[in-house]
Amino acid sequence: MLILLVFWQSLGFSQSGAKSISGTIISDENEPLPGVNILIKGTAEGTVSDVNGDYTVQVPEGYSTLVFSYIGYLSEEVDITGKSVIDLTMTPDIAELSEIVVIGYGEQKKETLTGSISQVKGEALVESPQPNVTNSLAGRFSGLVANNRGGEPGYDGSNIFIRGLATTGNNDVLVVVDGVPGQLGGLSRLNPNDIESISVLKDASAAVYGSRAANGVILVTTKKGKLGKPNIQYSYDLGFSSPTRLPDMADAPTYATIQNEIEYYNNKAGGLNQVYTEDEIQKFGDGSDPFLYPNTDWAESTLQNTSIQQQHNLSVNGGTENVKYFVSLGLLDQDGLYKDGVTDYKQYSFRSNIDANITDNLSVGLLLNGRQEDRLYPVYSAGDLFRNIYRAYPTVIDRYPNGLPSTGVENYNPVVMVTDIGGTSDNPRSVFNGILKGRYDIPFLNGVSVDGFYSVDKTWNFTKTFSKPYTLYNYDSENDSYIPVVTGGSSGAARLDESQENISLITSNIKLNYERQLGLHNINAFIAYEQSKNTRQTFGASRLNYPTIETPELSQGGSAANDRDNYGDSYNYTRRSYIGRIAYNFNEKYLAEVQMRIDGSSTFPDGERYGYFPAIAAGWRISEEGWFDDVSFIDDLKIRASYGQLGNDNVSQFQYFNNYTFNSVYVIGGQRHPGIDLTKLANPGITWEKAEKTDIGLNATLFRGFSFEFIYFMQKRSDILAARNASIPNVSGIVNPYDPDPNTDDVVPLVPDENLGKVNNNGFETTIGYKNMKNDFWYDVSANMTYAKSEIIFIDEAPTVLDYQRQTGGPLNTYLLYNVLGIFRSDEDLNDYPHLSGAQPGDLIYEDYNGDGEITADDQVRTELGNIPQITYGLNLSGGWKNFDVSLLFAGQARVRQYVLAESGTIGNFYSSWADNRWSPTNPDGSYPRVDTRASSSINGGLYRNDFWLNNAAFLRLKNVAIGYNFPEAMISKIGISGLRVNLNAFNLFTITEVKDYDPEGSSESAQFYPQQRIISLGVNVQF
């Protein structure tokens, strides 16, 4: 600090004969502006306004002009001749205001950014009728991959990755809401109307969040109150949802014919009509006997064409110079797609953000947010429901003429499964977030302040699933009777499962800030201390054999010891952090920033508990150089670079202890005693997953309208925690006698996780845009694209793995598949290619990749691409004329593949794309292989996973459309309304893709998932 003071004095002038100028600076909303730079033109000397907007500056003789500048406002030059008091009301720079970017623990002018940070305003998010915030981000800016994997109300969020995948471990992005890292409740269910902005930290700028920032950081800032009388806004949106895509399934005559073919392949001597005669197939097709020979479209029978969603939002904001407030209430109601279904999602939210100036130097803020999420579903999951919709035989009626439900497929009838006949699953969730903030500007230390916050987050997640037995029916045509089949529940009786999960997060932060404009030198620095404690408690219980379904309570089930069960667990972990950053710029020309975070986490053992995460960044605004003035067509040109080390501590707890379980039971002396099993050995040396990130960027604005950004990025991830599963053979004996996952048959090794994985990730981003306004007409165009490719440097693989099958050296999330060369068309073709034993015409031709004359496991090949896109892009178009405005958002992806093999055969129906184009004795030119008893275990399907079923999941999607009209103020002011807007919005309006049978954003390998939604909504917004 002493050096800086000496330097400041060296810039000064003799004060003899100086003139004192003072005054107050306010905004156009009559609000004091602290931190305004006041510079004596022609010198490097000046001052800044205090918290009340007051200033005093000594102007040497010979100088007559002051220059006032402030972020987000137009700079102004004022002649001081004959004046001693100059009060100024600064004018907002609309273009400049939009360029203030929220960064980690602060804000920064976009021109002085040295990191790769993208931002979207809340106004853009509310243009989308999609209530889940994560679904509104795709395509809006570069570097972000957002894939919506399903559309079930309440669980319809997107998977978000920043610059693709970069680790074999956890790839979750850190979400920071109003400064609280990892705030409980997350991003998905936030009310979009409450959001001021969302920033995405993609490079080393995220190092300020240290051990949790390796996968990138999303910063959410909620709205605050504004100076003025209360402004009341109410909005209502009515939306109509429908699936973006449902597969066309084979009809009854086609499926009946397929069943004949399957029997023929298994018993060719029996001919082609072993299951159905030609006459029966004719009846399926002509509808002459819909009772005994139906042609059921199970999707049409089970699903509605559209479902309704409604959104209400009421907000009030305003305030005085000392107290400002923003308060909102929201209601969201979404129905499911099912006919007579019980699926329903309701969300109630409130937010109260209050900021107050207690004294001239002390200000506080209280931010409260609450949310109630009420989810109601059938007892069957969405995956189970759509599995049975797609599997159900079209040759089976859904309901008999008397209304009784049929047995569907294997005693699963989706028409009644979606109702409450088999019970319901009620899943209410409550979220509370409370933040108390404070700031004190130390009056005797110019530019020094202290701020901090204390936050309390709580979530309560309760699930109650009551499964009831119910009756389906088979029709006995010989006796003209209906045979009841009881299904559901547990062994013919009702079952109740309840669980409760309570999570709390308490975070505290205190920060010392220093911010000064010393002539042309700007310094912005802070040091901080932060700590958090996260606690989780779970409890669950079940009860069987209910004597009646009228008492669905845990106390009312069967009385036997085996009729009841319970479980519970808890954990807590803490973090302690020391944070520092110093940012410097000289005349907004030369930019530099250094930051460091030291994180301690109870996840790791003593000696490995603390990690160090430094970062450095620099920038040069070439356009600010004097010699650059002659380049008139370039308004701003900046090159920048950053390097930093970040961490990822999102790993399982207690890995530095031996893990045991009370699983085995021993009988000693006729008595049962619990036994302790060792399930995982301790690793006392586990530590952070580390990421080294390097960015080089170029930013430019040209011709006062064009903008351009190009970024090259490189990331090296190391110390990824993983177990040596592949390189340690089972014959070593280092395996568990107990498999903790009852859903798998894999033997789990005793060896602990080690910091052994390595993955590189590199690529580039680019964004180009153009803005123009002419009188009453304006338009804005921007396009962005990201290419991000991962490369596995080390993953534990068996030493015997063939080079072309290894994951090492390839990208993450790829597949190991047989290459398909075509289809055997005849017996003669079988002689031309190596083939599997039992292969016959209609089967897929597998490539003999290693050329040994046989088709074996050694012929499988690792694919080049996986189901996370390497290329994502977006196109934003917006414009307006007078009171009309329209915006279009296109989003797309490329270099992405998705493996999908439908569950078909005698166990389920076929997609019509396969059924109508299959090879068969009567269609030897079919483009799909012959059908088989069970696709998942077929020679052409799951038994030999192959790239015939690997789809190009690239797409271009019209993600969002918003059309609005603002009624003229002169028209509505007469009825006491200050603003009235009507709008028509659409989401997922159309998609261009090669994928035929399912939405290309899906990730299910059987495509059995609740489909993504197309939403069209009408809305109105009223302001008073």
Side-chain angles (χ1 to χ4, degrees):
M1 184 63 72
L2 179 61
I3 295 174
L4 290 174
L5 290 173
V6 172
F7 181 69
W8 169 242
Q9 292 173 358
S10 70
L11 296 174
F13 294 80
S14 170
Q15 298 301 303
S16 60
K19 179 179 181 180
S20 178
I21 302 293
S22 61
T24 301
I25 307 173
I26 61 174
S27 70
D28 61 321
E29 296 180 338
N30 200 35
E31 183 177 4
L33 289 179
V36 176
N37 294 316
I38 301 102
L39 188 68
I40 303 168
K41 188 174 182 179
T43 76
E45 191 173 9
T47 187
V48 294
S49 60
D50 64 15
V51 69
N52 297 314
D54 298 329
Y55 73 95
T56 299
V57 62
Q58 303 296 323
V59 182
E61 289 183 352
Y63 297 92
S64 60
T65 304
L66 292 180
V67 180
F68 297 79
S69 61
Y70 189 66
I71 292 176
Y73 289 80
L74 296 172
S75 295
E76 297 192 38
E77 295 186 5
V78 179
D79 189 346
I80 64 173
T81 303
K83 301 174 184 177
S84 61
V85 176
I86 297 176
D87 296 327
L88 184 66
T89 300
M90 299 198 72
T91 303
D93 182 348
I94 301 302
E96 190 72 12
L97 281 174
S98 65
E99 300 300 318
I100 302 302
V101 178
V102 177
I103 62 174
Y105 298 97
E107 293 182 338
Q108 197 167 340
K109 191 176 177 180
K110 186 173 183 180
E111 281 77 0
T112 62
L113 282 178
T114 54
S116 293
I117 302 175
S118 296
Q119 180 170 279
V120 61
K121 293 294 185 179
E123 289 86 348
L125 300 178
V126 296
E127 290 181 348
S128 173
Q130 169 56 250
N132 192 305
V133 175
T134 60
N135 295 332
S136 301
L137 299 178
R140 294 196 181 274
F141 37 68
S142 65
L144 184 136
V145 180
N147 284 127
N148 180 217
R149 301 305 195 182
E152 184 178 26
Y155 291 106
D156 52 359
S158 291
N159 292 339
I160 292 180
F161 307 104
I162 293 177
R163 293 177 171 174
L165 295 183
T167 175
T168 58
N170 188 290
N171 279 275
D172 289 349
V173 176
L174 174 65
V175 176
V176 180
V177 182
D178 287 327
V180 180
Q183 185 182 81
L184 298 184
L187 175 63
S188 290
R189 309 314 314 186
L190 284 178
N191 185 344
N193 294 278
D194 293 347
I195 296 175
E196 181 68 29
S197 68
I198 292 179
S199 296
V200 180
L201 313 185
K202 297 175 283 189
D203 67 336
S205 60
V208 73
Y209 291 102
S211 65
R212 308 167 71 182
N215 298 325
V217 179
I218 293 178
L219 306 177
V220 182
T221 303
T222 60
K223 292 180 178 179
K224 304 293 190 296
K226 298 180 180 179
L227 187 68
K229 66 179 183 178
N231 177 268
I232 302 173
Q233 290 193 47
Y234 168 74
S235 63
Y236 172 72
D237 289 274
L238 175 64
F240 303 89
S241 298
S242 59
T244 56
R245 179 168 302 183
L246 291 173
D248 292 326
M249 307 302 294
D251 59 15
T254 302
Y255 186 72
T257 302
I258 284 175
Q259 295 307 299
N260 281 340
E261 291 175 11
I262 291 173
E263 287 302 311
Y264 169 76
Y265 298 137
N266 294 326
N267 177 26
K268 292 187 177 180
L272 276 171
N273 292 97
Q274 299 179 48
V275 182
Y276 297 101
T277 66
E278 290 295 335
D279 181 59
E280 289 175 319
I281 294 175
Q282 177 67 27
K283 290 180 180 179
F284 281 124
D286 62 23
S288 58
D289 189 352
F291 181 24
L292 295 179
Y293 297 94
N295 188 359
T296 305
D297 184 334
W298 285 93
E300 181 179 355
S301 300
T302 309
L303 306 177
Q304 306 177 97
N305 292 327
T306 59
S307 60
I308 302 297
Q309 73 170 36
Q310 299 182 71
Q311 298 182 73
H312 299 263
N313 197 78
L314 176 66
S315 67
V316 182
N317 79 77
T320 65
E321 292 184 1
N322 291 322
V323 179
K324 301 181 185 67
Y325 54 87
F326 172 83
V327 180
S328 76
L329 297 172
L331 167 63
L332 169 64
D333 188 354
Q334 290 177 281
D335 290 336
L337 281 173
Y338 312 121
K339 290 180 179 178
D340 301 318
V342 297
T343 296
D344 184 51
Y345 177 76
K346 286 184 172 64
Q347 177 176 303
Y348 311 88
S349 63
F350 84 89
R351 183 174 295 277
S352 173
N353 291 347
I354 299 174
D355 297 285
N357 295 324
I358 306 302
T359 67
D360 290 344
N361 297 312
L362 176 63
S363 60
V364 297
L366 180 63
L367 292 75
L368 302 177
N369 174 59
R371 189 167 70 244
Q372 178 68 29
E373 305 169 9
D374 289 340
R375 297 174 175 85
L376 182 64
Y377 303 113
V379 293
Y380 301 96
S381 69
D384 284 340
L385 293 173
F386 279 90
R387 176 177 185 245
N388 287 289
I389 290 173
Y390 300 152
R391 288 181 62 217
Y393 308 129
T395 53
V396 173
I397 197 169
D398 50 359
R399 286 185 183 272
Y400 298 107
N402 60 6
L404 295 178
S406 74
T407 53
V409 54
E410 298 178 352
N411 295 331
Y412 291 102
N413 184 330
V415 169
V416 295
M417 290 170 69
V418 301
T419 71
D420 62 358
I421 190 173
T424 58
S425 182
D426 192 10
N427 178 211
R429 185 188 189 206
S430 302
V431 178
F432 172 78
N433 310 115
I435 308 172
L436 178 63
K437 293 187 173 184
R439 176 185 174 95
Y440 181 67
D441 294 290
I442 302 176
F444 51 86
L445 293 175
N446 196 5
V448 180
S449 63
V450 178
D451 64 50
F453 68 83
Y454 183 83
S455 70
V456 177
D457 297 340
K458 295 280 188 178
T459 63
W460 300 267
N461 191 10
F462 177 69
T463 302
K464 182 176 183 177
T465 302
F466 190 58
S467 304
K468 303 183 296 186
Y470 59 97
T471 304
L472 303 176
Y473 296 87
N474 283 318
Y475 178 67
D476 182 354
S477 57
E478 292 185 3
N479 299 307
D480 189 26
S481 62
Y482 296 88
I483 303 172
V485 177
V486 176
T487 187
S490 175
S491 301
R495 174 191 176 103
L496 177 64
D497 292 274
E498 290 189 9
S499 63
Q500 177 75 39
E501 179 188 58
N502 299 333
I503 303 177
S504 69
L505 172 65
I506 297 176
T507 308
S508 57
N509 173 289
I510 187 167
K511 183 157 63 82
L512 177 66
N513 311 285
Y514 178 75
E515 184 176 1
R516 288 292 302 273
Q517 181 73 39
L518 304 175
L520 299 179
H521 304 268
N522 180 276
I523 299 174
N524 191 325
F526 77 81
I527 56 174
Y529 172 80
E530 185 174 283
Q531 68 178 27
S532 64
K533 180 177 181 180
N534 193 301
T535 303
R536 173 180 175 268
Q537 296 175 327
T538 61
F539 171 79
S542 63
R543 199 73 181 266
L544 307 177
N545 294 321
Y546 277 73
T548 173
I549 62 173
E550 302 301 323
T551 56
E553 303 298 338
L554 281 174
S555 61
Q556 303 301 307
S559 58
N562 292 336
D563 288 340
R564 65 191 74 188
D565 195 9
N566 59 72
Y567 64 88
D569 61 68
S570 66
Y571 69 77
N572 66 75
Y573 59 89
T574 57
R575 292 185 174 93
R576 179 178 296 166
S577 306
Y578 306 89
I579 315 160
R581 178 172 65 208
I582 180 168
Y584 166 81
N585 75 71
F586 175 78
N587 199 26
E588 297 188 353
K589 181 193 304 183
Y590 306 118
L591 319 169
E593 183 174 296
V594 177
Q595 58 188 29
M596 165 68 81
R597 183 168 179 132
I598 303 172
D599 272 335
S601 171
S602 62
T603 299
F604 303 106
D606 290 336
E608 302 291 345
R609 189 151 286 173
Y610 281 89
Y612 300 85
F613 306 99
I616 186 170
W620 177 27
R621 293 183 67 197
I622 304 173
S623 55
E624 296 301 299
E625 297 287 358
W627 51 263
F628 200 82
D629 291 343
D630 294 335
V631 187
S632 58
F633 67 93
I634 299 180
D635 306 309
D636 188 75
L637 179 63
K638 177 175 66 177
I639 59 174
R640 54 184 174 80
S642 67
Y643 170 82
Q645 297 179 0
L646 301 85
N648 185 8
D649 70 348
N650 201 343
V651 298
S652 299
Q653 304 288 306
F654 313 120
Q655 295 195 51
Y656 52 92
F657 293 119
N658 285 333
N659 284 202
Y660 299 89
T661 183
F662 288 99
N663 183 66
S664 298
V665 176
Y666 299 92
V667 179
I668 303 175
Q671 299 293 319
R672 293 165 58 91
H673 299 275
I676 298 177
D677 288 319
L678 175 64
T679 58
K680 183 73 82 171
L681 291 168
N683 179 356
I686 63 169
T687 187
W688 318 87
E689 179 179 325
K690 299 179 179 65
E692 295 183 25
K693 292 191 176 185
T694 303
D695 260 47
I696 301 174
L698 173 68
N699 295 78
T701 57
L702 305 86
F703 303 108
R704 298 192 180 278
F706 286 99
S707 61
F708 173 77
E709 180 180 53
F710 180 86
I711 305 167
Y712 171 78
F713 59 84
M714 178 173 60
Q715 179 180 175
K716 294 183 178 181
R717 194 73 66 96
S718 61
D719 287 342
I720 301 172
L721 275 170
R724 295 184 184 274
N725 293 342
S727 59
I728 300 178
N730 289 344
V731 294
S732 67
I734 310 178
V735 295
N736 281 336
Y738 161 61
D739 178 5
D741 186 354
N743 298 316
T744 70
D745 296 325
D746 299 331
V747 178
V748 178
L750 282 170
V751 294
D753 287 354
E754 302 175 60
N755 295 103
L756 53 84
K758 294 182 180 181
V759 176
N760 288 350
N761 177 280
N762 59 67
F764 64 87
E765 303 173 21
T766 185
T767 303
I768 186 169
Y770 180 70
K771 298 179 181 179
N772 197 1
M773 173 176 280
K774 293 182 178 180
N775 300 321
D776 294 330
F777 175 70
W778 65 273
Y779 62 91
D780 186 349
V781 179
S782 69
N784 63 79
M785 192 270 279
T786 303
Y787 172 76
K789 182 181 179 181
S790 60
E791 180 186 4
I792 298 173
I793 304 303
F794 180 83
I795 191 173
D796 186 54
E797 294 188 276
T800 56
V801 173
L802 300 168
D803 289 342
Y804 53 86
Q805 295 181 345
R806 296 180 69 86
Q807 297 180 68
T808 304
L812 292 161
N813 272 38
T814 55
Y815 303 93
L816 186 61
L817 305 172
Y818 291 90
N819 291 331
V820 172
L821 303 178
I823 296 175
F824 291 113
R825 302 291 175 183
S826 63
D827 289 327
E828 291 74 19
D829 287 346
L830 292 168
N831 298 322
D832 296 334
Y833 297 93
H835 56 268
L836 296 164
S837 175
Q840 54 184 292
D843 288 337
L844 297 173
I845 303 173
Y846 295 134
E847 180 184 13
D848 178 18
Y849 192 84
N850 63 0
D852 64 357
E854 296 180 314
I855 303 300
T856 66
D858 289 347
D859 294 311
Q860 296 175 92
V861 180
R862 182 68 56 182
T863 62
E864 179 186 3
L865 301 172
N867 69 346
I868 302 297
Q870 292 184 356
I871 294 177
T872 54
Y873 55 93
L875 175 64
N876 293 265
L877 307 172
S878 60
W881 179 72
K882 293 187 176 179
N883 293 333
F884 287 97
D885 58 81
V886 61
S887 67
L888 305 175
L889 171 63
F890 292 87
Q893 64 181 32
R895 290 189 60 79
V896 56
R897 299 292 185 268
Q898 178 62 48
Y899 179 90
V900 170
L901 177 63
E903 192 174 3
S904 306
T906 57
I907 62 161
N909 200 5
F910 289 78
Y911 291 161
S912 60
S913 56
W914 186 358
D916 297 343
N917 299 285
R918 69 192 185 281
W919 183 98
S920 71
T922 57
N923 183 31
D925 296 324
S927 56
Y928 277 71
R930 67 181 177 89
V931 293
D932 209 339
T933 305
R934 197 181 191 98
S936 59
S937 58
S938 170
I939 192 175
N940 298 307
L943 192 60
Y944 294 87
R945 285 167 57 96
N946 60 80
D947 65 0
F948 184 89
W949 309 107
L950 189 67
N951 297 310
N952 182 353
F955 66 79
L956 170 63
R957 168 168 278 165
L958 180 52
K959 198 72 175 178
N960 200 75
V961 178
I963 302 172
Y965 177 74
N966 296 294
F967 284 83
E969 184 177 354
M971 179 186 301
I972 60 177
S973 61
K974 299 176 182 178
I975 57 175
I977 297 176
S978 60
L980 177 61
R981 175 181 173 85
V982 293
N983 53 266
L984 172 65
N985 297 336
F987 177 75
N988 283 349
L989 202 55
F990 70 79
T991 305
I992 301 173
T993 180
E994 294 180 11
V995 177
K996 299 176 181 179
D997 298 311
Y998 61 94
D999 191 289
E1001 286 195 69
S1003 60
S1004 167
E1005 293 195 355
S1006 62
Q1008 296 166 349
F1009 60 94
Y1010 196 108
Q1012 290 82 353
Q1013 296 298 290
R1014 176 186 298 111
I1015 306 172
I1016 298 175
S1017 76
L1018 299 170
V1020 61
N1021 181 285
V1022 185
Q1023 297 187 45
F1024 302 93

